[in-house]
Amino acid sequence: MHIDKQILDKANEWLTPTFDSKTKEEIEKMMTSSPKELEDSFYKNLEFGTGGMRGIMGVGTNRINKYTLGKNTQGLSNYLKKVFAGEALKVAIAYDCRHNSNTLAKVVADVFSANGIQVYLFSDLRPTPELSFAVRHLKCHAGIVLTASHNPPEYNGYKVYWQDGGQLVPPQDSEIIEIIENLQYSDILFEANDSLIEYIDEEIDVAFWNSTIENASFNTPQSAKDALKIVYTSLHGTSIKSIPSVLDLAGYKNVNIVPEQAVPDGNFPTVKSPNPEEPEALTMALALADKIDADIVVGTDPDSDRLGVAVRDLEGNLKLLNGNQTMVIMTAFLLEQWKRADKITGNEFIGSTIVSTPMMLDLASAYGVECKVGLTGFKWIAKFIKDFPKQQFIGGGEESFGYMVGDAVRDKDAVAAILLVCEIATQAKAAGSSLFKELINLSLDYGFYKEHLISITKKGIEGANEIKKMMVDLREHPLKEINGQRVVCIEDYQSSKALDVMSNATYEITIPKSNVLIYYLEDGTKICARPSGTEPKIKFYFSVHTELPSVDDYNATELILDQKITNIIAEMQLT
């Protein structure tokens, strides 16, 4: 196989004395026996996406390793010194259960300390939301968490948080990237100043747990809590360090942990994917719940920012909720609590994203608050909190099984979200209802919304080109009709233009540019295409809705909406 000269040049740079002998040995081996692997390891540099930087661990510029992360950290160190000139700089670092996360976290800590920056490094794995909390609690200038979220075991990642506790957003992200790209690997300072590295653990844990309980508890009677039977799984991840303690401190004593998945393990041996978005991931938890007749199942991804929820449906069977359903249930509950406490003044807001359910807009309107809608990723919701300090943030979520309660944590937070969803389920059960019935009531009030997501994986250079072509085709040859419904509007977030197809008028989109395309049909159907910013995937999001005449019509109406989505997918040839 012919190897491109640019790739060879980049690989040869990694054979210089700047790099250690093990790295050089692996590259030489790839050059002789695995040219395809060499190409994939060096054909590009890892980039920051919607959830930071994620990639396969290994040697090369397109891999997660001590040099790519060291270069990021050196660039971030230089940027912090420039932006906060003269200040005593502080950063916090956390990591998850993945292979090499603890050693890579120490590399990152070493580089910061070598640059004269005070480091607070968690002594063991911790949930991502706790890192966001710690940044503000410790008054740090930035934070790092080593995690690849729900990606397969061979992945790891590097998420950067700013002093507000939210992830990097413009203009900081592009400014830091520019500094990183102008660095040489020989510029990285790897020699640690151990006097600047302080290990943190229980004190921050307790502060985080207490903050979570303060934000996500709502005067639920202890007798009602005692009546709720919960099954919980950490899917081998970090939430085992927080969620059992938080639920216990909040008064939930009937929590049944899936034992086979309770031990942190970067191989995730009991699941194909440690992602609560995937129904298979909660199979063991559902089996335990049926065995003990539990009311609710909750589970988290490895870094504990996403949550999966299953509840009993009208027939008493466990039913997995999607991220949009849990989002509207939690948001409606929070809004109602704020209304009852007479805290809604018209100066509050909830947060959502362009690919999430439109029901969030309906909820905001009904309660007289604003719904701010941003790009995919919680960094944009956190940015709203920072950009609008005079408005109060109530809660917000996105379809990818993430939610944020209040502003103590500025990222999706499965710890607080699970406590909140248990509060809702408990109060509903005590009132003779259920969490599922509360969802149906929302559908009666606001219409029955049903959403669905398809992720198409396309790996490597060829896959990246296929994804690019799919987006080009959707832009240059736009669909005019889908499933018998005319396309009435097309929003292109890459060009910041929207086209009203009926009038042929265009208008500006004020949300920041992103490679996202949304089709709206005349019956209100919404179809979104978006290449993932952190994985080799293109994602298609579908939202359909109709009126729900009565509770008795729920199952039949759901079947109609499911069939509608199936027809759209088939017509767009996405299966």
Side-chain angles (χ1 to χ4, degrees):
M1 169 181 170
H2 171 73
I3 302 175
D4 184 89
K5 183 179 182 300
Q6 278 188 316
I7 290 173
L8 275 176
D9 288 345
K10 290 173 78 173
N12 281 323
E13 182 189 349
W14 283 53
L15 296 175
T16 62
T18 298
F19 299 85
D20 61 45
S21 58
K22 185 179 178 182
T23 296
K24 289 185 277 191
E25 285 171 12
E26 289 188 39
I27 292 169
E28 287 169 347
K29 184 179 178 182
M30 283 195 290
M31 283 179 162
T32 56
S33 60
S34 303
K36 182 72 174 175
E37 186 180 353
L38 182 77
E39 179 184 69
D40 196 55
S41 297
F42 283 97
Y43 83 92
K44 67 173 184 176
N45 295 339
L46 280 179
E47 299 169 349
F48 281 94
T50 52
M53 177 181 282
R54 290 183 210 161
I56 295 170
M57 288 177 279
V59 300
T61 60
N62 189 35
R63 294 288 185 264
I64 294 289
N65 52 66
K66 66 178 286 187
Y67 297 103
T68 52
L69 297 194
K71 195 175 180 182
N72 286 349
T73 307
Q74 185 63 52
L76 180 55
S77 297
N78 294 352
Y79 184 76
L80 289 170
K81 289 179 178 180
K82 175 184 172 184
V83 174
F84 301 107
E87 293 189 33
L89 297 173
K90 298 187 292 185
V91 299
I93 301 173
Y95 57 91
D96 70 2
C97 60
R98 289 182 176 272
H99 299 304
N100 305 313
S101 278
N102 57 345
T103 54
L104 289 170
K106 182 57 167 62
V107 168
V108 171
D110 289 348
V111 174
F112 277 128
S113 71
N115 282 274
I117 297 172
Q118 173 70 48
V119 177
Y120 298 103
L121 174 62
F122 277 99
S123 60
D124 196 2
L125 54 93
R126 288 295 189 278
T128 288
E130 185 168 351
L131 183 278
S132 171
F133 172 84
V135 169
R136 298 180 68 225
H137 184 75
L138 295 169
K139 296 180 171 57
C140 292
H141 296 82
I144 304 290
V145 62
L146 279 296
T147 177
S149 189
H150 57 281
N151 285 57
E154 64 269 23
Y155 279 76
N156 214 318
Y158 181 93
K159 291 169 86 169
V160 182
Y161 291 78
W162 206 235
Q163 63 183 150
D164 67 322
Q167 289 184 53
L168 281 182
V169 292
Q172 285 92 356
D173 53 0
S174 58
E175 291 170 353
I176 291 168
I177 289 167
E178 184 180 357
I179 290 175
I180 293 169
E181 289 177 347
N182 287 325
L183 286 174
Q184 303 300 314
Y185 288 101
S186 57
D187 295 329
I188 305 169
L189 303 180
F190 280 115
E191 293 298 320
N193 180 348
D194 290 328
S195 68
L196 290 176
I197 300 176
E198 179 181 335
Y199 289 91
I200 56 174
D201 37 49
E202 291 183 8
E203 183 181 340
I204 305 302
D205 293 341
V206 172
F208 173 59
W209 300 343
N210 288 337
S211 172
T212 299
I213 292 167
E214 182 182 345
N215 280 292
S217 295
F218 292 90
N219 300 315
T220 305
Q222 185 60 49
S223 58
K225 293 177 182 178
D226 293 340
L228 189 75
K229 190 177 289 187
I230 303 164
V231 165
Y232 154 72
T233 176
S234 61
L235 296 181
H236 305 288
T238 62
S239 70
I240 199 72
K241 295 288 187 179
S242 289
I243 287 175
S245 297
V246 166
L247 290 176
D248 181 62
L249 289 169
Y252 289 93
K253 307 302 181 182
N254 201 346
V255 179
N256 302 271
I257 300 172
V258 178
E260 301 90 340
Q261 298 175 328
V263 177
D265 188 338
N267 288 318
F268 312 114
T270 64
V271 292
K272 291 179 182 177
S273 170
N275 184 358
E277 291 181 84
E278 304 290 340
E280 181 273 337
L282 296 180
T283 299
M284 296 182 81
L286 292 170
L288 177 58
D290 274 331
K291 182 180 178 181
I292 66 173
D293 194 29
D295 298 294
I296 186 169
V297 171
V298 290
T300 63
D301 65 347
D303 69 324
S304 189
D305 58 2
R306 297 174 190 235
L307 76 155
V309 179
V311 295
R312 300 283 175 184
D313 64 14
L314 295 175
E315 287 75 42
N317 301 312
L318 285 167
K319 183 180 180 70
L320 289 166
L321 303 182
N322 64 40
N324 287 294
Q325 291 171 323
T326 55
M327 178 191 349
V328 296
I329 289 169
M330 287 189 278
T331 303
F333 180 84
L334 288 175
L335 287 167
E336 184 62 24
Q337 296 300 313
W338 278 58
K339 179 182 177 182
R340 290 178 183 178
D342 201 26
K343 290 166 59 179
I344 293 180
T345 65
N347 199 35
E348 296 77 26
F349 75 97
I350 58 174
S352 185
T353 72
I354 58 174
V355 300
S356 299
T357 178
M359 190 191 280
M360 290 289 281
L361 298 167
D362 297 335
L363 286 171
S365 176
Y367 282 89
V369 303
E370 183 183 359
C371 181
K372 295 184 187 291
V373 179
L375 294 174
T376 304
F378 264 73
K379 63 184 182 183
W380 300 107
I381 297 178
K383 188 175 187 297
F384 290 143
I385 298 172
K386 182 170 64 175
D387 290 348
F388 298 94
K390 293 183 179 179
Q391 285 186 272
Q392 280 194 286
F393 175 70
I394 295 174
E398 63 179 4
E399 57 74 38
S400 61
F401 288 61
Y403 201 80
M404 186 160 65
V405 185
D407 63 0
V409 170
R410 304 291 177 90
D411 202 353
K412 50 184 177 283
D413 177 4
V415 182
I418 281 178
L419 176 56
L420 175 60
V421 85
C422 288
E423 289 278 286
I424 301 168
T426 301
Q427 292 191 17
K429 184 177 182 179
S433 180
S434 71
L435 200 145
F436 192 75
K437 289 177 182 177
E438 293 306 301
L439 176 64
I440 294 176
N441 289 337
L442 291 174
S443 297
L444 289 169
D445 291 341
Y446 301 104
F448 195 155
Y449 283 85
K450 190 69 186 286
E451 281 77 27
H452 185 68
L453 166 68
I454 288 181
S455 292
I456 302 172
T457 301
K458 301 283 185 180
K459 295 185 177 180
I461 299 174
E462 295 85 356
N465 289 333
E466 285 184 61
I467 289 173
K468 184 177 179 181
K469 185 177 185 304
M470 291 174 78
M471 293 300 292
V472 167
D473 287 345
L474 285 169
R475 285 188 169 96
E476 295 185 354
H477 310 288
L479 300 171
K480 293 181 171 58
E481 184 178 289
I482 304 172
N483 194 37
Q485 295 290 320
R486 290 178 300 173
V487 175
V488 296
C489 181
I490 302 173
E491 293 178 341
D492 188 345
Y493 289 80
Q494 187 164 272
S495 66
S496 297
K497 299 285 186 184
L499 172 67
D500 182 327
V501 176
M502 298 294 99
S503 66
N504 205 36
T506 61
Y507 57 90
E508 292 289 325
I509 296 173
T510 57
I511 290 174
K513 291 181 182 294
S514 184
N515 188 14
V516 181
L517 198 66
I518 300 181
Y519 284 78
Y520 294 91
L521 310 188
E522 58 186 331
D523 64 351
T525 295
K526 176 182 173 184
I527 303 166
C528 173
R530 182 185 76 87
S532 172
T534 52
E535 302 171 85
K537 294 179 178 181
I538 182 168
K539 298 184 177 184
F540 289 88
Y541 306 79
F542 306 89
S543 177
V544 296
H545 71 276
T546 189
E547 294 301 310
L548 179 63
S550 70
V551 173
D552 293 337
D553 294 306
Y554 184 87
N555 290 336
T557 305
E558 184 174 40
L559 286 174
I560 292 169
L561 293 178
D562 285 341
Q563 187 59 54
K564 189 173 189 177
I565 291 171
T566 299
N567 294 343
I568 291 170
I569 292 169
E571 187 168 318
M572 293 182 69
Q573 299 180 347
L574 297 175
T575 53

